[in-house]
Amino acid sequence: MGLNLPIALDAMGGEKAPYSVVHGAKIALREVPELTFRFYGDEALIAPLLHKLKPLRDVSEIIHTETAVHMHEKPAVALRQRRDSSMRLAINAVSKGEACAVVSGGNTGALMMMSKYVFKTLKGIERPAITAFMPAQQRDVAMLDMGANVDCGPEHLLQFAIMGDAYARVVLGVQRPKVALLNVGAEDLKGHGLVQSAHQLLKDSNLPIDYVGFVEGNDILEGTVDVVVTDGFTGNIALKTAEGAARLIYNSMRTAIENSLSAKIGYLLAKPALTMALRKFDPRAHNGAILLGLNGIAVKSHGGTDAKGFANAIQVAVKLVRQDINTRIIEELNQMHSHNKPETSSIIPVISAATTSETMM
Amino acid sequence: MGLNLPIALDAMGGEKAPYSVVHGAKIALREVPELTFRFYGDEALIAPLLHKLKPLRDVSEIIHTETAVHMHEKPAVALRQRRDSSMRLAINAVSKGEACAVVSGGNTGALMMMSKYVFKTLKGIERPAITAFMPAQQRDVAMLDMGANVDCGPEHLLQFAIMGDAYARVVLGVQRPKVALLNVGAEDLKGHGLVQSAHQLLKDSNLPIDYVGFVEGNDILEGTVDVVVTDGFTGNIALKTAEGAARLIYNSMRTAIENSLSAKIGYLLAKPALTMALRKFDPRAHNGAILLGLNGIAVKSHGGTDAKGFANAIQVAVKLVRQDINTRIIEELNQMHSHNKPETSSIIPVISAATTSETMM
């Protein structure tokens, strides 16, 4: 058995918490025996759940907290007023070295703001981005930003490209990921000022990444590329629209099958093959988005997920810890600096600037 | 039989043109006997196709053109250099009163630019928007802009809301359409500056429309509202991502069925019910996006569609002509002016401004 892998869990975050969190930890532990857990939250709720789960109980500690961040609380308010919440103390555990990563299914904005405040951004990265992976025709695709930054400058998209490249190598295991910018057309002249400027930056930056230019919305799920870079507004809408399309098709098929006897019988015959084929679209299998670009690993689980989904988010955290994602990103940033000749480095001033780890209080 | 409904067709636009155009006209004529057609394009290609189709031939005229707009030609170049193209002459036919509407499956940007140049925008509308409808859980949803304006101001989104409302009433037959802005969250404070400002404008404008606030990506296909308003960048990406998601699910299911005998048999049993249920996702049934906001009706057919899809685009044009879409939009704009008290009218200066029908040459 290798070294311990202590993970801090916000036991109060998510609709089915703390049940989904405790049972998610149980599932993850079966896969990764090195895991140990620190559960942050209401001990009176967590202890009875944990009590029944023998192997998990032995590697777990409960840290009682009186408060939790509400799902609809404003992030700035949560940052100021929830310093002793389960979410905040779980984040603090990572900065104190008591855990390798934090996983929470709670308020996304609050997790983002608190993590940024506690961890600070990596040197050379101005803004963290929510990075997730989506199922595609051939293999999974990493996409960022999924909603952390609704307003972006071209330099942020450049930083997202660097982070996404490292993420695809670490989490998806792609040797040399193809990185693209999301746009309304593949031709060089398409799109608005933001993508045009970012495109130019990426082409001129001598980055050690395989930047392939623009892709369109349909390319995301076709798996034409490995990393899709976009601003948080567009990324969030693309993700939710894809989820909506999948749900609409499923629901239409389900209704059709329920209303026809021969379709019902047909479905039973086709079910094993279909279940296998559609498994990759199970949102639980893609649960766990990382807040990329911070001096610490924070993984966001979907608020509505169950134990299986939460276990997947823990496993995403494990991969990121084991592969040392942040060191990879820093290496890539440094490589870019050494590749850039002095006369070209001025075009990427933001990367050259010091870390912008201003407080947000 | 009522009055004739002459439609100008760009017979050279689209991958399967002129075959798809001629046979699309044949299908549309069966549904709408009042239709007559002006086919613009290469007579040597159109005439033999038309010759075989007796009832269509009798209500059609071919106007021979020497050139056509290429699919990847820059719109500005097409506007300057393709004044005698099939697309341009078909557009001109509408402005000359020889046709009620133009339908083209050619270069979208060129169709947009030429139509705007020839027709000019409606008074009170600064920019035309590509408007399409998408299948949703309950009923179809109108969405705009789908890609004509990648950069928008809040006043443009306000104008899109007015046009979308009229469109939903005319084409979708909804009495009082619910109109919403696409955003990353439903709460008032979410989103970037553009949607925030547009939200404020819509709330303050005393428009005679049912503006319900923000919706998210998944709401588009759930049919929570009837009209979804967004900028052309976001709209284009949302549309294509939804198409990509649908294709991914279909392909995965098809592969699963092909590789399993019991699934194949099951599929045959379920097929009639599924075909019925999935019919509404057939892109051909949604083919035909209008360039809304112009003094003339121009409908864009998907470039890759077949005769059935092209026929649908013609029928969209028929609906718009019969319901007099542009008069409806103008009425709504006027109603807004009369509803607005003098002290509030200053917040929507663009609507009060004169038509911006500057040439783009």
Side-chain angles (χ1 to χ4, degrees), chain A residues 74 137 183-184 189 192 216 218 221-222 233 240 245 247-248 251-252 256 262 266 269 277 281, chain B residues 74 137 151 183-184 189 216 218 221-222 233 240 245 247-248 251-252 256 262 266 269 277 281:
Chain A
K74 280 188 199 161
Q137 205 80 11
N183 198 355
V184 295
L189 292 166
H192 51 33
E216 301 180 58
N218 49 299
L221 297 163
E222 261 166 38
F233 188 85
K240 287 179 183 162
R247 199 173 309 127
L248 176 61
N251 288 347
S252 300
S262 70
L269 285 164
F281 305 119
Chain B
K74 279 188 201 163
Q137 206 80 12
D151 277 307
N183 197 357
V184 296
L189 291 165
E216 300 180 58
N218 49 298
L221 298 164
E222 262 167 37
F233 188 86
K240 288 179 183 162
R247 198 173 309 127
L248 176 61
N251 289 346
S252 300
S262 70
L269 285 165
F281 304 119

mmCIF file of all heavy atoms in Angstrom, chain A residues 74 137 183-184 189 192 216 218 221-222 233 240 245 247-248 251-252 256 262 266 269 277 281, chain B residues 74 137 151 183-184 189 216 218 221-222 233 240 245 247-248 251-252 256 262 266 269 277 281:
data_model
loop_
_atom_site.group_PDB
_atom_site.id
_atom_site.type_symbol
_atom_site.label_atom_id
_atom_site.label_comp_id
_atom_site.label_asym_id
_atom_site.label_seq_id
_atom_site.Cartn_x
_atom_site.Cartn_y
_atom_site.Cartn_z
ATOM 1 N N LYS A 74 -25.152 34.307 -1.886
ATOM 2 C CA LYS A 74 -24.227 34.999 -2.780
ATOM 3 C C LYS A 74 -22.803 34.641 -2.390
ATOM 4 O O LYS A 74 -22.450 34.696 -1.207
ATOM 5 C CB LYS A 74 -24.417 36.511 -2.673
ATOM 6 C CG LYS A 74 -25.588 36.995 -3.474
ATOM 7 C CD LYS A 74 -25.626 38.516 -3.493
ATOM 8 C CE LYS A 74 -27.007 38.983 -3.868
ATOM 9 N NZ LYS A 74 -27.256 40.364 -3.490
ATOM 10 N N GLN A 137 -17.770 11.241 -29.335
ATOM 11 C CA GLN A 137 -17.864 10.077 -30.217
ATOM 12 C C GLN A 137 -16.740 9.072 -29.917
ATOM 13 O O GLN A 137 -17.009 7.912 -29.667
ATOM 14 C CB GLN A 137 -17.757 10.565 -31.664
ATOM 15 C CG GLN A 137 -18.412 9.659 -32.664
ATOM 16 C CD GLN A 137 -19.931 9.856 -32.713
ATOM 17 O OE1 GLN A 137 -20.473 10.785 -32.148
ATOM 18 N NE2 GLN A 137 -20.612 8.953 -33.376
ATOM 19 N N ASN A 183 -15.936 28.534 -31.573
ATOM 20 C CA ASN A 183 -16.326 29.693 -32.376
ATOM 21 C C ASN A 183 -17.545 29.337 -33.233
ATOM 22 O O ASN A 183 -18.006 28.206 -33.219
ATOM 23 C CB ASN A 183 -15.141 30.125 -33.256
ATOM 24 C CG ASN A 183 -15.274 31.545 -33.784
ATOM 25 O OD1 ASN A 183 -16.290 32.216 -33.584
ATOM 26 N ND2 ASN A 183 -14.254 32.013 -34.470
ATOM 27 N N VAL A 184 -18.054 30.330 -33.958
ATOM 28 C CA VAL A 184 -19.237 30.099 -34.788
ATOM 29 C C VAL A 184 -18.886 29.554 -36.172
ATOM 30 O O VAL A 184 -19.770 29.305 -36.989
ATOM 31 C CB VAL A 184 -20.069 31.390 -34.960
ATOM 32 C CG1 VAL A 184 -20.631 31.833 -33.609
ATOM 33 C CG2 VAL A 184 -19.226 32.515 -35.559
ATOM 34 N N LEU A 189 -11.482 33.997 -40.140
ATOM 35 C CA LEU A 189 -12.049 35.337 -39.978
ATOM 36 C C LEU A 189 -13.379 35.362 -39.228
ATOM 37 O O LEU A 189 -13.975 36.421 -39.032
ATOM 38 C CB LEU A 189 -12.229 35.997 -41.348
ATOM 39 C CG LEU A 189 -10.899 36.335 -42.041
ATOM 40 C CD1 LEU A 189 -11.109 36.659 -43.502
ATOM 41 C CD2 LEU A 189 -10.216 37.503 -41.317
ATOM 42 N N HIS A 192 -16.255 36.882 -32.955
ATOM 43 C CA HIS A 192 -16.166 38.242 -32.416
ATOM 44 C C HIS A 192 -14.731 38.570 -31.978
ATOM 45 O O HIS A 192 -13.812 37.750 -32.099
ATOM 46 C CB HIS A 192 -17.169 38.456 -31.294
ATOM 47 C CG HIS A 192 -17.147 37.425 -30.215
ATOM 48 N ND1 HIS A 192 -16.013 36.767 -29.813
ATOM 49 C CD2 HIS A 192 -18.158 36.944 -29.455
ATOM 50 C CE1 HIS A 192 -16.327 35.939 -28.841
ATOM 51 N NE2 HIS A 192 -17.624 36.010 -28.613
ATOM 52 N N GLU A 216 -16.483 24.337 -33.964
ATOM 53 C CA GLU A 216 -17.857 24.790 -33.769
ATOM 54 C C GLU A 216 -18.568 23.942 -32.712
ATOM 55 O O GLU A 216 -18.034 22.932 -32.261
ATOM 56 C CB GLU A 216 -18.608 24.710 -35.102
ATOM 57 C CG GLU A 216 -17.969 25.562 -36.181
ATOM 58 C CD GLU A 216 -18.714 25.469 -37.505
ATOM 59 O OE1 GLU A 216 -19.913 25.787 -37.528
ATOM 60 O OE2 GLU A 216 -18.100 25.075 -38.509
ATOM 61 N N ASN A 218 -20.918 21.755 -32.739
ATOM 62 C CA ASN A 218 -21.102 20.325 -32.987
ATOM 63 C C ASN A 218 -19.800 19.535 -32.836
ATOM 64 O O ASN A 218 -19.812 18.335 -32.631
ATOM 65 C CB ASN A 218 -21.708 20.095 -34.372
ATOM 66 C CG ASN A 218 -20.975 20.851 -35.449
ATOM 67 O OD1 ASN A 218 -20.923 22.085 -35.410
ATOM 68 N ND2 ASN A 218 -20.373 20.157 -36.372
ATOM 69 N N LEU A 221 -18.900 17.528 -29.138
ATOM 70 C CA LEU A 221 -19.305 16.159 -28.843
ATOM 71 C C LEU A 221 -18.892 15.175 -29.924
ATOM 72 O O LEU A 221 -19.090 13.973 -29.783
ATOM 73 C CB LEU A 221 -20.810 16.110 -28.608
ATOM 74 C CG LEU A 221 -21.235 16.943 -27.386
ATOM 75 C CD1 LEU A 221 -22.712 17.217 -27.414
ATOM 76 C CD2 LEU A 221 -20.861 16.240 -26.099
ATOM 77 N N GLU A 222 -18.340 15.685 -31.012
ATOM 78 C CA GLU A 222 -17.820 14.770 -32.024
ATOM 79 C C GLU A 222 -16.408 14.322 -31.669
ATOM 80 O O GLU A 222 -15.886 13.369 -32.223
ATOM 81 C CB GLU A 222 -17.860 15.416 -33.405
ATOM 82 C CG GLU A 222 -19.074 14.947 -34.182
ATOM 83 C CD GLU A 222 -19.345 15.788 -35.402
ATOM 84 O OE1 GLU A 222 -18.394 16.216 -36.070
ATOM 85 O OE2 GLU A 222 -20.541 16.028 -35.681
ATOM 86 N N PHE A 233 -19.337 32.095 -20.060
ATOM 87 C CA PHE A 233 -20.729 32.294 -20.464
ATOM 88 C C PHE A 233 -21.112 31.255 -21.526
ATOM 89 O O PHE A 233 -22.064 30.499 -21.366
ATOM 90 C CB PHE A 233 -20.915 33.720 -21.008
ATOM 91 C CG PHE A 233 -22.355 34.087 -21.261
ATOM 92 C CD1 PHE A 233 -23.147 34.575 -20.233
ATOM 93 C CD2 PHE A 233 -22.916 33.940 -22.515
ATOM 94 C CE1 PHE A 233 -24.488 34.911 -20.459
ATOM 95 C CE2 PHE A 233 -24.250 34.269 -22.748
ATOM 96 C CZ PHE A 233 -25.034 34.758 -21.719
ATOM 97 N N LYS A 240 -25.098 23.109 -20.752
ATOM 98 C CA LYS A 240 -26.491 22.905 -20.345
ATOM 99 C C LYS A 240 -27.399 22.609 -21.534
ATOM 100 O O LYS A 240 -28.386 21.880 -21.396
ATOM 101 C CB LYS A 240 -26.996 24.125 -19.578
ATOM 102 C CG LYS A 240 -26.393 24.210 -18.178
ATOM 103 C CD LYS A 240 -26.882 25.432 -17.432
ATOM 104 C CE LYS A 240 -26.228 25.544 -16.063
ATOM 105 N NZ LYS A 240 -26.355 26.925 -15.519
ATOM 106 N N ALA A 245 -30.595 18.662 -24.566
ATOM 107 C CA ALA A 245 -30.872 17.896 -25.788
ATOM 108 C C ALA A 245 -30.933 16.406 -25.470
ATOM 109 O O ALA A 245 -31.839 15.699 -25.918
ATOM 110 C CB ALA A 245 -29.796 18.172 -26.840
ATOM 111 N N ARG A 247 -31.616 14.997 -22.591
ATOM 112 C CA ARG A 247 -32.800 14.715 -21.781
ATOM 113 C C ARG A 247 -34.062 14.677 -22.646
ATOM 114 O O ARG A 247 -34.928 13.817 -22.488
ATOM 115 C CB ARG A 247 -32.940 15.759 -20.668
ATOM 116 C CG ARG A 247 -33.850 15.282 -19.539
ATOM 117 C CD ARG A 247 -33.854 16.249 -18.363
ATOM 118 N NE ARG A 247 -32.513 16.580 -17.927
ATOM 119 C CZ ARG A 247 -32.049 17.821 -17.790
ATOM 120 N NH1 ARG A 247 -32.817 18.852 -18.060
ATOM 121 N NH2 ARG A 247 -30.816 18.026 -17.375
ATOM 122 N N LEU A 248 -34.144 15.613 -23.598
ATOM 123 C CA LEU A 248 -35.318 15.677 -24.476
ATOM 124 C C LEU A 248 -35.455 14.399 -25.298
ATOM 125 O O LEU A 248 -36.550 13.834 -25.428
ATOM 126 C CB LEU A 248 -35.187 16.898 -25.394
ATOM 127 C CG LEU A 248 -36.268 17.094 -26.451
ATOM 128 C CD1 LEU A 248 -37.633 17.266 -25.804
ATOM 129 C CD2 LEU A 248 -35.946 18.302 -27.320
ATOM 130 N N ASN A 251 -36.436 11.428 -22.941
ATOM 131 C CA ASN A 251 -37.835 11.516 -22.513
ATOM 132 C C ASN A 251 -38.792 11.176 -23.648
ATOM 133 O O ASN A 251 -39.800 10.505 -23.433
ATOM 134 C CB ASN A 251 -38.144 12.915 -21.972
ATOM 135 C CG ASN A 251 -37.485 13.155 -20.628
ATOM 136 O OD1 ASN A 251 -36.997 12.205 -19.990
ATOM 137 N ND2 ASN A 251 -37.445 14.395 -20.186
ATOM 138 N N SER A 252 -38.481 11.637 -24.848
ATOM 139 C CA SER A 252 -39.350 11.357 -25.991
ATOM 140 C C SER A 252 -39.369 9.863 -26.273
ATOM 141 O O SER A 252 -40.422 9.285 -26.557
ATOM 142 C CB SER A 252 -38.854 12.110 -27.225
ATOM 143 O OG SER A 252 -38.855 13.487 -26.979
ATOM 144 N N ALA A 256 -42.554 7.179 -25.834
ATOM 145 C CA ALA A 256 -42.953 6.357 -26.981
ATOM 146 C C ALA A 256 -42.978 4.888 -26.596
ATOM 147 O O ALA A 256 -43.899 4.149 -26.964
ATOM 148 C CB ALA A 256 -41.992 6.585 -28.144
ATOM 149 N N SER A 262 -45.478 -3.260 -28.361
ATOM 150 C CA SER A 262 -44.399 -3.863 -29.136
ATOM 151 C C SER A 262 -43.082 -3.110 -28.892
ATOM 152 O O SER A 262 -42.009 -3.705 -28.863
ATOM 153 C CB SER A 262 -44.742 -3.890 -30.628
ATOM 154 O OG SER A 262 -44.732 -2.593 -31.152
ATOM 155 N N GLY A 266 -39.679 -4.650 -27.554
ATOM 156 C CA GLY A 266 -38.459 -4.337 -28.307
ATOM 157 C C GLY A 266 -37.404 -3.723 -27.416
ATOM 158 O O GLY A 266 -36.217 -4.071 -27.491
ATOM 159 N N LEU A 269 -35.534 -6.236 -25.352
ATOM 160 C CA LEU A 269 -34.535 -6.979 -26.137
ATOM 161 C C LEU A 269 -33.288 -6.136 -26.406
ATOM 162 O O LEU A 269 -32.168 -6.637 -26.436
ATOM 163 C CB LEU A 269 -35.147 -7.429 -27.476
ATOM 164 C CG LEU A 269 -36.131 -8.604 -27.383
ATOM 165 C CD1 LEU A 269 -36.955 -8.699 -28.668
ATOM 166 C CD2 LEU A 269 -35.360 -9.911 -27.144
ATOM 167 N N ALA A 277 -24.146 1.105 -24.417
ATOM 168 C CA ALA A 277 -23.773 2.197 -25.319
ATOM 169 C C ALA A 277 -24.015 3.559 -24.683
ATOM 170 O O ALA A 277 -23.276 4.507 -24.923
ATOM 171 C CB ALA A 277 -24.572 2.089 -26.615
ATOM 172 N N PHE A 281 -22.978 8.386 -21.320
ATOM 173 C CA PHE A 281 -23.711 9.646 -21.172
ATOM 174 C C PHE A 281 -24.273 9.828 -19.771
ATOM 175 O O PHE A 281 -24.924 10.819 -19.487
ATOM 176 C CB PHE A 281 -24.838 9.736 -22.196
ATOM 177 C CG PHE A 281 -24.360 9.570 -23.589
ATOM 178 C CD1 PHE A 281 -24.806 8.533 -24.381
ATOM 179 C CD2 PHE A 281 -23.417 10.432 -24.113
ATOM 180 C CE1 PHE A 281 -24.345 8.366 -25.663
ATOM 181 C CE2 PHE A 281 -22.945 10.280 -25.393
ATOM 182 C CZ PHE A 281 -23.404 9.244 -26.173
ATOM 183 N N LYS B 74 -16.531 35.286 -49.217
ATOM 184 C CA LYS B 74 -16.777 36.275 -48.166
ATOM 185 C C LYS B 74 -18.021 37.091 -48.520
ATOM 186 O O LYS B 74 -18.155 37.556 -49.653
ATOM 187 C CB LYS B 74 -15.581 37.221 -48.038
ATOM 188 C CG LYS B 74 -14.457 36.617 -47.232
ATOM 189 C CD LYS B 74 -13.369 37.643 -46.964
ATOM 190 C CE LYS B 74 -12.079 36.936 -46.630
ATOM 191 N NZ LYS B 74 -10.913 37.825 -46.762
ATOM 192 N N GLN B 137 -39.775 19.930 -25.480
ATOM 193 C CA GLN B 137 -40.591 18.906 -24.821
ATOM 194 C C GLN B 137 -42.070 19.051 -25.204
ATOM 195 O O GLN B 137 -42.677 18.111 -25.664
ATOM 196 C CB GLN B 137 -40.415 19.070 -23.310
ATOM 197 C CG GLN B 137 -40.648 17.827 -22.512
ATOM 198 C CD GLN B 137 -39.437 16.891 -22.535
ATOM 199 O OE1 GLN B 137 -38.353 17.256 -22.965
ATOM 200 N NE2 GLN B 137 -39.632 15.677 -22.100
ATOM 201 N N ASP B 151 -21.476 40.130 -32.320
ATOM 202 C CA ASP B 151 -21.353 41.185 -31.299
ATOM 203 C C ASP B 151 -22.672 41.930 -31.220
ATOM 204 O O ASP B 151 -23.137 42.459 -32.222
ATOM 205 C CB ASP B 151 -20.254 42.180 -31.685
ATOM 206 C CG ASP B 151 -18.884 41.687 -31.288
ATOM 207 O OD1 ASP B 151 -18.704 41.344 -30.104
ATOM 208 O OD2 ASP B 151 -17.991 41.646 -32.155
ATOM 209 N N ASN B 183 -29.157 32.901 -20.355
ATOM 210 C CA ASN B 183 -28.122 33.310 -19.401
ATOM 211 C C ASN B 183 -27.557 32.073 -18.699
ATOM 212 O O ASN B 183 -28.027 30.961 -18.910
ATOM 213 C CB ASN B 183 -28.732 34.303 -18.393
ATOM 214 C CG ASN B 183 -27.678 35.105 -17.636
ATOM 215 O OD1 ASN B 183 -26.472 34.900 -17.797
ATOM 216 N ND2 ASN B 183 -28.127 36.020 -16.807
ATOM 217 N N VAL B 184 -26.557 32.275 -17.858
ATOM 218 C CA VAL B 184 -25.923 31.157 -17.144
ATOM 219 C C VAL B 184 -26.656 30.804 -15.849
ATOM 220 O O VAL B 184 -26.262 29.874 -15.144
ATOM 221 C CB VAL B 184 -24.443 31.451 -16.830
ATOM 222 C CG1 VAL B 184 -23.650 31.588 -18.132
ATOM 223 C CG2 VAL B 184 -24.286 32.709 -15.997
ATOM 224 N N LEU B 189 -29.092 38.428 -10.720
ATOM 225 C CA LEU B 189 -27.740 38.996 -10.696
ATOM 226 C C LEU B 189 -26.729 38.221 -11.524
ATOM 227 O O LEU B 189 -25.550 38.567 -11.587
ATOM 228 C CB LEU B 189 -27.249 39.098 -9.247
ATOM 229 C CG LEU B 189 -28.004 40.141 -8.424
ATOM 230 C CD1 LEU B 189 -27.751 39.970 -6.949
ATOM 231 C CD2 LEU B 189 -27.612 41.556 -8.884
ATOM 232 N N GLU B 216 -31.864 29.212 -18.709
ATOM 233 C CA GLU B 216 -30.552 28.599 -18.921
ATOM 234 C C GLU B 216 -30.578 27.678 -20.139
ATOM 235 O O GLU B 216 -31.637 27.412 -20.699
ATOM 236 C CB GLU B 216 -30.165 27.806 -17.674
ATOM 237 C CG GLU B 216 -30.092 28.681 -16.435
ATOM 238 C CD GLU B 216 -29.702 27.883 -15.193
ATOM 239 O OE1 GLU B 216 -28.630 27.264 -15.201
ATOM 240 O OE2 GLU B 216 -30.483 27.891 -14.227
ATOM 241 N N ASN B 218 -30.426 24.514 -20.625
ATOM 242 C CA ASN B 218 -31.311 23.352 -20.627
ATOM 243 C C ASN B 218 -32.777 23.732 -20.811
ATOM 244 O O ASN B 218 -33.590 22.917 -21.225
ATOM 245 C CB ASN B 218 -31.134 22.536 -19.336
ATOM 246 C CG ASN B 218 -31.188 23.404 -18.105
ATOM 247 O OD1 ASN B 218 -30.355 24.292 -17.933
ATOM 248 N ND2 ASN B 218 -32.176 23.183 -17.269
ATOM 249 N N LEU B 221 -34.570 23.556 -24.717
ATOM 250 C CA LEU B 221 -35.221 22.371 -25.261
ATOM 251 C C LEU B 221 -36.286 21.805 -24.330
ATOM 252 O O LEU B 221 -36.979 20.861 -24.676
ATOM 253 C CB LEU B 221 -34.177 21.318 -25.603
ATOM 254 C CG LEU B 221 -33.201 21.798 -26.690
ATOM 255 C CD1 LEU B 221 -31.974 20.936 -26.729
ATOM 256 C CD2 LEU B 221 -33.876 21.794 -28.046
ATOM 257 N N GLU B 222 -36.381 22.353 -23.141
ATOM 258 C CA GLU B 222 -37.459 21.917 -22.265
ATOM 259 C C GLU B 222 -38.742 22.661 -22.586
ATOM 260 O O GLU B 222 -39.825 22.274 -22.159
ATOM 261 C CB GLU B 222 -37.072 22.106 -20.794
ATOM 262 C CG GLU B 222 -36.563 20.800 -20.202
ATOM 263 C CD GLU B 222 -35.876 20.991 -18.876
ATOM 264 O OE1 GLU B 222 -36.323 21.825 -18.085
ATOM 265 O OE2 GLU B 222 -34.873 20.291 -18.636
ATOM 266 N N PHE B 233 -23.462 34.858 -31.336
ATOM 267 C CA PHE B 233 -22.354 33.958 -30.994
ATOM 268 C C PHE B 233 -22.887 32.805 -30.138
ATOM 269 O O PHE B 233 -22.736 31.633 -30.476
ATOM 270 C CB PHE B 233 -21.268 34.736 -30.245
ATOM 271 C CG PHE B 233 -20.002 33.947 -30.028
ATOM 272 C CD1 PHE B 233 -19.017 33.905 -31.007
ATOM 273 C CD2 PHE B 233 -19.794 33.244 -28.857
ATOM 274 C CE1 PHE B 233 -17.849 33.174 -30.823
ATOM 275 C CE2 PHE B 233 -18.638 32.509 -28.657
ATOM 276 C CZ PHE B 233 -17.654 32.478 -29.645
ATOM 277 N N LYS B 240 -25.691 24.464 -32.469
ATOM 278 C CA LYS B 240 -24.813 23.417 -33.005
ATOM 279 C C LYS B 240 -24.447 22.382 -31.940
ATOM 280 O O LYS B 240 -24.246 21.209 -32.255
ATOM 281 C CB LYS B 240 -23.555 24.038 -33.605
ATOM 282 C CG LYS B 240 -23.836 24.752 -34.917
ATOM 283 C CD LYS B 240 -22.570 25.375 -35.493
ATOM 284 C CE LYS B 240 -22.877 26.149 -36.773
ATOM 285 N NZ LYS B 240 -21.787 27.093 -37.093
ATOM 286 N N ALA B 245 -25.122 16.899 -29.810
ATOM 287 C CA ALA B 245 -25.542 15.979 -28.746
ATOM 288 C C ALA B 245 -26.521 14.951 -29.307
ATOM 289 O O ALA B 245 -26.398 13.751 -29.040
ATOM 290 C CB ALA B 245 -26.182 16.761 -27.601
ATOM 291 N N ARG B 247 -26.818 13.965 -32.416
ATOM 292 C CA ARG B 247 -26.120 13.072 -33.340
ATOM 293 C C ARG B 247 -25.310 12.024 -32.577
ATOM 294 O O ARG B 247 -25.286 10.846 -32.929
ATOM 295 C CB ARG B 247 -25.215 13.881 -34.275
ATOM 296 C CG ARG B 247 -24.814 13.091 -35.506
ATOM 297 C CD ARG B 247 -24.059 13.951 -36.514
ATOM 298 N NE ARG B 247 -24.761 15.184 -36.809
ATOM 299 C CZ ARG B 247 -24.230 16.405 -36.725
ATOM 300 N NH1 ARG B 247 -22.991 16.558 -36.350
ATOM 301 N NH2 ARG B 247 -24.943 17.470 -37.011
ATOM 302 N N LEU B 248 -24.657 12.468 -31.492
ATOM 303 C CA LEU B 248 -23.837 11.551 -30.695
ATOM 304 C C LEU B 248 -24.692 10.427 -30.105
ATOM 305 O O LEU B 248 -24.315 9.246 -30.143
ATOM 306 C CB LEU B 248 -23.142 12.338 -29.578
ATOM 307 C CG LEU B 248 -22.314 11.538 -28.584
ATOM 308 C CD1 LEU B 248 -21.172 10.809 -29.272
ATOM 309 C CD2 LEU B 248 -21.748 12.466 -27.503
ATOM 310 N N ASN B 251 -25.904 8.056 -32.970
ATOM 311 C CA ASN B 251 -24.822 7.212 -33.474
ATOM 312 C C ASN B 251 -24.463 6.123 -32.478
ATOM 313 O O ASN B 251 -24.190 4.991 -32.861
ATOM 314 C CB ASN B 251 -23.584 8.057 -33.804
ATOM 315 C CG ASN B 251 -23.798 8.912 -35.037
ATOM 316 O OD1 ASN B 251 -24.755 8.696 -35.783
ATOM 317 N ND2 ASN B 251 -22.925 9.877 -35.263
ATOM 318 N N SER B 252 -24.440 6.472 -31.199
ATOM 319 C CA SER B 252 -24.096 5.478 -30.185
ATOM 320 C C SER B 252 -25.144 4.374 -30.149
ATOM 321 O O SER B 252 -24.824 3.194 -30.026
ATOM 322 C CB SER B 252 -23.999 6.138 -28.806
ATOM 323 O OG SER B 252 -23.008 7.129 -28.824
ATOM 324 N N ALA B 256 -24.715 0.357 -31.229
ATOM 325 C CA ALA B 256 -25.082 -0.684 -30.268
ATOM 326 C C ALA B 256 -26.069 -1.668 -30.886
ATOM 327 O O ALA B 256 -25.947 -2.885 -30.722
ATOM 328 C CB ALA B 256 -25.686 -0.049 -29.023
ATOM 329 N N SER B 262 -30.086 -9.360 -30.639
ATOM 330 C CA SER B 262 -31.331 -9.150 -29.900
ATOM 331 C C SER B 262 -31.721 -7.669 -29.930
ATOM 332 O O SER B 262 -32.903 -7.323 -29.974
ATOM 333 C CB SER B 262 -31.204 -9.659 -28.458
ATOM 334 O OG SER B 262 -30.329 -8.833 -27.727
ATOM 335 N N GLY B 266 -35.143 -6.144 -31.276
ATOM 336 C CA GLY B 266 -35.838 -5.210 -30.401
ATOM 337 C C GLY B 266 -36.114 -3.896 -31.103
ATOM 338 O O GLY B 266 -37.207 -3.327 -31.010
ATOM 339 N N LEU B 269 -39.057 -4.007 -33.413
ATOM 340 C CA LEU B 269 -40.336 -3.959 -32.694
ATOM 341 C C LEU B 269 -40.663 -2.546 -32.218
ATOM 342 O O LEU B 269 -41.813 -2.126 -32.196
ATOM 343 C CB LEU B 269 -40.295 -4.911 -31.490
ATOM 344 C CG LEU B 269 -40.420 -6.403 -31.831
ATOM 345 C CD1 LEU B 269 -39.995 -7.255 -30.643
ATOM 346 C CD2 LEU B 269 -41.861 -6.731 -32.227
ATOM 347 N N ALA B 277 -41.989 9.219 -32.401
ATOM 348 C CA ALA B 277 -41.550 10.093 -31.312
ATOM 349 C C ALA B 277 -40.382 10.970 -31.722
ATOM 350 O O ALA B 277 -40.249 12.103 -31.268
ATOM 351 C CB ALA B 277 -41.163 9.256 -30.095
ATOM 352 N N PHE B 281 -37.512 15.609 -34.152
ATOM 353 C CA PHE B 281 -36.092 15.993 -34.139
ATOM 354 C C PHE B 281 -35.465 15.949 -35.527
ATOM 355 O O PHE B 281 -34.291 16.234 -35.689
ATOM 356 C CB PHE B 281 -35.300 15.088 -33.197
ATOM 357 C CG PHE B 281 -35.851 15.085 -31.813
ATOM 358 C CD1 PHE B 281 -36.308 13.923 -31.238
ATOM 359 C CD2 PHE B 281 -35.962 16.269 -31.103
ATOM 360 C CE1 PHE B 281 -36.862 13.930 -29.977
ATOM 361 C CE2 PHE B 281 -36.511 16.282 -29.843
ATOM 362 C CZ PHE B 281 -36.960 15.109 -29.276
#
